[in-house]
Amino acid sequence: MDALASLLYEVRSDGALFSRNVLAPPWSVRFADRTPLTLLTMLRGSGWILPGDGDGDGDGDGPVALAEGDVAVVVGPEPFTIADEPDPAARPLYVRHGPDHCTTADGEEVRDDVILGLRTCGNTADGPHVLLTGSYQVGGSVSERLLSALPRVLVVRHDGEPGPILDLTALEVGRDDPGQQAVLDRLLDLLLLATLREWFACPESDPPGWYRALGDPVAGKALRLMHDRPARPWTVAALAEEAGVSRATFARRFGELVGRPPMAYLAGWRLALAADLLARTDATVESIARQVGYRSAFGLSVAFQRVHGTRPSEHRAAVRQGRQYTSR
C-alpha cells in the first residue's frame, strides 16, 4: 500500500451528507456545518467558491471559479459560500448548518418552499444551476496528515471526458432505496479518491514531498514498506538494502524527495497510527506500541509525549471525553 492509499484508507465516509441545490440567479448558499472536508461540483451551470467569512472582508482567500463538471474540495471547518457571482457580500438564500438544519441569513428556520425534495433545496425546481455537495466527518492523526497537505480549496477542472462516478452519484442522491446510505458513502469515497489523485497529478498543484516520492524507485519503495509494515524494526541501513542502494545514497535521496529524514518520517507515521489506535480501540498501550514499531509502552510514551506534549493514556482520555486533540 502506498502513502496516498494509506492516508485515504483512514478518510472514509460514514453517513455521507449529500445535498443537491437547484438554483436560478441570483443565488448564494452558505455552508456553516463545520465539516472538515466538503466535495462539491456544478452538475449544471457554473458558480464561485467564496472561502472568506462572508462579511465582505474575506479572509485572504479569493473567489475560485467553478465551471460545469469541475470538482472541488474545500478543506477545513470554516464556513464558506457558493454563489453565482463572486460577491462576498451577497445575501445567502439559505445557510446550511447540518443535514437537517437550514436557516435564512437572519437565523430563522428555512421556509418549506426552499425544500424541493429528497436531499434537494433551492429557489426553483428547474433552475439553470445545479450544485451537488458531499460532506465528510473525518478525524484522527492519520487523516490530519492528508488534510494538512491540501490547500483550502482545490479544483480539478472538467476535461470533457465522461464522468461515470459523478453521473452515478447525481442519480443516487435523488433515490431512497434500501441500503441507500451505504451506496452514497462509497460513492463519496470514490469521488474523493479520484479527485485527489487527479489533483496531485496536475502540473499546477503543489503535492507534498511524500506524494512526489511515490514514483521514485528508491524513496517510493521505502515509503511503501514503512506504511505496510510499521512494526518492523526499520533502520536506514535496512531500508537502503530493500531499496537496493547504499545507506548514504538512500538517506540523501529520501531526504531530498520527501523533505524529511527516513527515521523522522517513520516516527511521525508510527505516532499518527498510535494516536488513532488509542482513540478508536481498547487495546493496551503496550499492545499498540508493538503494533506500530515500539518495543514497549514506555518507548511509545516517551516518543508520544515528546511530539504531542501528552502521554498516550491522556490522549485516549481526552478524545473519549470529546475534547479536540491537536499536536504541538
Side-chain angles (χ1 to χ4, degrees), residues 167-312:
D167 292 342
L168 181 58
T169 303
L171 176 65
E172 291 290 339
V173 166
R175 300 176 65 175
D176 194 22
D177 295 338
Q180 195 65 29
Q181 187 59 60
V183 171
L184 292 174
D185 286 341
R186 299 294 74 80
L187 285 172
L188 185 54
D189 288 340
L190 283 171
L191 273 173
L192 179 66
L193 174 58
T195 300
L196 291 181
R197 188 170 58 180
E198 284 192 49
W199 182 79
F200 278 135
C202 290
E204 62 271 20
S205 70
D206 184 22
W210 53 258
Y211 183 84
R212 293 192 297 267
L214 290 175
D216 183 76
V218 174
K221 184 170 185 178
L223 283 169
R224 284 186 285 273
L225 289 169
M226 292 178 189
H227 281 252
D228 285 347
R229 307 170 194 172
R232 287 277 296 272
W234 294 115
T235 63
V236 173
L239 289 167
E241 183 178 357
E242 292 281 356
V245 295
S246 70
R247 184 180 184 280
T249 298
F250 169 72
R252 181 179 66 254
R253 191 171 187 84
F254 190 97
E256 290 174 350
L257 292 174
V258 179
R260 301 181 70 187
M263 292 299 99
Y265 181 91
L266 177 60
W269 175 240
R270 284 171 166 169
L271 291 176
L273 291 174
D276 285 356
L277 287 169
L278 287 162
R280 298 171 183 173
T281 75
D282 292 321
T284 65
V285 176
E286 183 76 29
S287 172
I288 290 172
R290 296 187 181 280
Q291 287 184 61
V292 302
Y294 288 89
R295 294 181 179 178
S296 67
F298 177 76
L300 172 60
S301 183
V302 170
F304 204 93
Q305 189 156 10
R306 182 177 64 249
V307 173
H308 297 305
T310 186
R311 293 181 298 177

Side-chain angles (χ1 to χ4, degrees), residues 2-328:
D2 62 42
L4 179 60
S6 297
L7 296 174
L8 285 171
Y9 188 80
E10 296 296 329
V11 182
R12 289 186 170 189
S13 178
D14 183 12
L17 306 179
F18 273 104
S19 70
R20 180 171 51 190
N21 306 267
V22 184
L23 302 152
W27 60 267
S28 174
V29 180
R30 183 81 170 151
F31 292 85
D33 46 7
R34 307 198 68 81
T35 53
L37 198 69
T38 304
L39 187 143
L40 51 95
T41 183
M42 296 298 302
L43 296 176
R44 189 166 68 230
S46 61
W48 291 83
I49 304 171
L50 308 174
D53 55 18
D55 62 2
D57 295 330
D59 62 357
D61 295 308
V64 179
L66 196 64
E68 184 172 315
D70 292 348
V71 180
V73 175
V74 180
V75 179
E78 296 80 12
F80 64 94
T81 300
I82 313 293
D84 64 321
E85 295 291 343
D87 180 7
R91 188 176 179 82
L93 176 67
Y94 49 87
V95 181
R96 194 179 95 167
H97 301 276
D100 301 310
H101 184 206
C102 291
T103 69
T104 66
D106 297 324
E108 299 179 1
E109 292 299 315
V110 74
R111 302 184 308 276
D112 290 341
D113 57 359
V114 174
I115 309 299
L116 302 178
L118 180 65
R119 304 186 187 92
T120 303
C121 297
N123 58 3
T124 177
D126 57 354
H129 295 168
V130 179
L131 167 68
L132 180 70
T133 70
S135 299
Y136 267 89
Q137 290 289 352
V138 298
S141 294
V142 170
S143 299
E144 179 59 32
R145 288 170 72 88
L146 174 62
L147 298 185
S148 64
L150 303 177
R152 167 68 165 149
V153 179
L154 65 89
V155 180
V156 173
R157 301 298 178 187
H158 182 45
D159 59 5
E161 296 295 320
I165 301 174
L166 187 57
D167 292 342
L168 181 58
T169 303
L171 176 65
E172 291 290 339
V173 166
R175 300 176 65 175
D176 194 22
D177 295 338
Q180 195 65 29
Q181 187 59 60
V183 171
L184 292 174
D185 286 341
R186 299 294 74 80
L187 285 172
L188 185 54
D189 288 340
L190 283 171
L191 273 173
L192 179 66
L193 174 58
T195 300
L196 291 181
R197 188 170 58 180
E198 284 192 49
W199 182 79
F200 278 135
C202 290
E204 62 271 20
S205 70
D206 184 22
W210 53 258
Y211 183 84
R212 293 192 297 267
L214 290 175
D216 183 76
V218 174
K221 184 170 185 178
L223 283 169
R224 284 186 285 273
L225 289 169
M226 292 178 189
H227 281 252
D228 285 347
R229 307 170 194 172
R232 287 277 296 272
W234 294 115
T235 63
V236 173
L239 289 167
E241 183 178 357
E242 292 281 356
V245 295
S246 70
R247 184 180 184 280
T249 298
F250 169 72
R252 181 179 66 254
R253 191 171 187 84
F254 190 97
E256 290 174 350
L257 292 174
V258 179
R260 301 181 70 187
M263 292 299 99
Y265 181 91
L266 177 60
W269 175 240
R270 284 171 166 169
L271 291 176
L273 291 174
D276 285 356
L277 287 169
L278 287 162
R280 298 171 183 173
T281 75
D282 292 321
T284 65
V285 176
E286 183 76 29
S287 172
I288 290 172
R290 296 187 181 280
Q291 287 184 61
V292 302
Y294 288 89
R295 294 181 179 178
S296 67
F298 177 76
L300 172 60
S301 183
V302 170
F304 204 93
Q305 189 156 10
R306 182 177 64 249
V307 173
H308 297 305
T310 186
R311 293 181 298 177
S313 58
E314 293 170 340
H315 166 70
R316 170 175 275 169
V319 171
R320 296 192 176 186
Q321 290 173 11
R323 297 201 300 267
Q324 186 176 4
Y325 172 77
T326 56
S327 60
R328 294 194 306 185

